[in-house]
Amino acid sequence: MTIKLNYSHLSKETQEQLLCESKKDILSQFGQEIEKYSMENDIAYETLLEEEAIRNLYNYKYSFRV
């Protein structure tokens, strides 16, 4: 997935939107596995989802417009 960003507009809102999109991707791909893992290992589901979403951001390709 390639994400096009305006380099001068990397606001907190933009970062939150990217994280939200990443969470959606993680849920669609691994939602049940993450839920099962969180229950088996007594880890908060939301915390685990957030960590995986942040890791997932590194898999995206970014195209910056200056």
Side-chain angles (χ1 to χ4, degrees), residues 12-65:
K12 179 80 171 163
E13 294 159 346
T14 302
Q15 293 174 34
E16 290 293 326
Q17 182 61 33
L18 287 171
L19 186 58
C20 183
E21 291 298 319
S22 183
K23 281 183 182 180
K24 288 178 188 176
D25 287 345
I26 291 296
L27 283 173
S28 69
Q29 293 178 26
F30 309 108
Q32 291 178 336
E33 290 91 347
I34 290 174
E35 186 174 3
K36 182 180 175 186
Y37 183 84
S38 71
M39 289 183 353
E40 288 175 352
N41 295 288
D42 197 30
I43 300 172
Y45 175 73
E46 287 299 320
T47 302
L48 191 56
L49 178 60
E50 181 96 8
E51 289 173 358
E52 290 300 319
I54 290 169
R55 257 188 235 121
N56 187 50
L57 287 172
Y58 290 103
N59 293 326
Y60 293 156
K61 292 182 177 155
Y62 298 95
S63 174
F64 291 99
R65 186 177 55 191

